[in-house]
Amino acid sequence: MVSVVSKIGFSQGWIGAARRCESPHFNRRPDNEVSLLVIHNISLPAGCFGLPYIDQLFQGCLDRDADASFCELDGLRVSAHFLIRRDGELVQYVSCDDRAWHAGVSSYRGREGCNDFAIGIELEGTDDTPYSDAQYQQLVQLTLALFDAYPMLNVDAIVGHCDIAPGRKTDPGESFDWTRYKKGLEG
């Protein structure tokens, strides 16, 4: 397993322990607020893991000819702050101080546009494929580090993409073990 984040060094919203893979798909947060953590899942092509296509998508250079399903992604401008791969590798695309484009049309407790105040973490996976032990370990360590760096974040400010875009999104899906994740945050 790739080592979990420990003693993370933040520099301008970047985590030193993460593989840095910068995305052009971001902009400034309007109020410099980070008060929500959104858990997602992603796989490209759907159900396939360990391939380079997630990096390519978030960097805006996805080879749409690599898979027939990629045609529908042509021109899509999306990103997340982080990806945790199946083996626990942590990848960062956007500084946590900036607004990544992960939530889309979304609302949290009556506030529209969650990208403005959220950090997005993608787990390499699908709604119905169990996540790996390495992913849970890395997610817990990353979350605790984010709690330290951004005091408005806490256990009550963690949601799934499905919670902020109901009816439109289902991730991280029924395979995500919320109890295991939140218990890991307790100590």
Side-chain angles (χ1 to χ4, degrees):
M1 178 187 105
V2 176
S3 65
V4 294
V5 178
S6 61
K7 300 179 184 171
I8 290 179
F10 274 96
S11 176
Q12 298 178 341
W14 292 94
I15 291 180
R19 177 171 60 87
R20 193 164 167 167
C21 187
E22 293 185 43
S23 172
H25 303 155
F26 74 94
N27 53 6
R28 294 313 233 168
R29 292 185 187 277
D31 299 317
N32 295 321
E33 176 186 337
V34 175
S35 60
L36 185 65
L37 192 59
V38 180
I39 309 298
H40 303 261
N41 73 36
I42 188 169
S43 59
L44 289 176
C48 296
F49 307 131
L51 301 174
Y53 304 120
I54 298 169
D55 288 350
Q56 291 176 13
L57 175 68
F58 290 160
Q59 290 183 304
C61 60
L62 180 64
D63 177 5
R64 70 179 209 148
D65 296 326
D67 188 87
S69 67
F70 293 173
C71 288
E72 64 192 48
L73 302 174
D74 193 33
L76 187 65
R77 295 170 37 120
V78 295
S79 61
H81 292 92
F82 298 99
L83 167 68
I84 301 175
R85 292 208 172 263
R86 306 292 296 175
D87 66 357
E89 179 190 18
L90 181 64
V91 183
Q92 186 170 6
Y93 301 96
V94 174
S95 165
C96 293
D97 295 340
D98 289 320
R99 175 172 49 193
W101 303 342
H102 58 96
V105 177
S106 54
S107 176
Y108 177 70
R109 296 183 177 168
R111 286 182 73 185
E112 303 293 321
C114 294
N115 285 338
D116 290 351
F117 53 93
I119 290 178
I121 301 174
E122 298 275 359
L123 299 173
E124 186 177 35
T126 68
D127 286 5
D128 56 4
T129 303
Y131 296 96
S132 71
D133 291 341
Q135 286 178 297
Y136 283 108
Q137 290 170 3
Q138 186 71 278
L139 180 59
V140 165
Q141 294 300 315
L142 174 59
T143 302
L144 292 172
L146 292 170
F147 285 179
D148 286 344
Y150 299 94
M152 292 178 75
L153 290 177
N154 58 61
V155 173
D156 295 326
I158 302 172
V159 297
H161 198 187
C162 57
D163 299 314
I164 61 170
R168 188 174 70 81
K169 294 295 181 178
T170 58
D171 55 317
E174 66 272 5
S175 63
F176 187 73
D177 188 341
W178 284 101
T179 302
R180 176 181 181 177
Y181 170 45
K182 290 190 175 182
K183 186 173 183 165
L185 296 175
E186 295 172 359

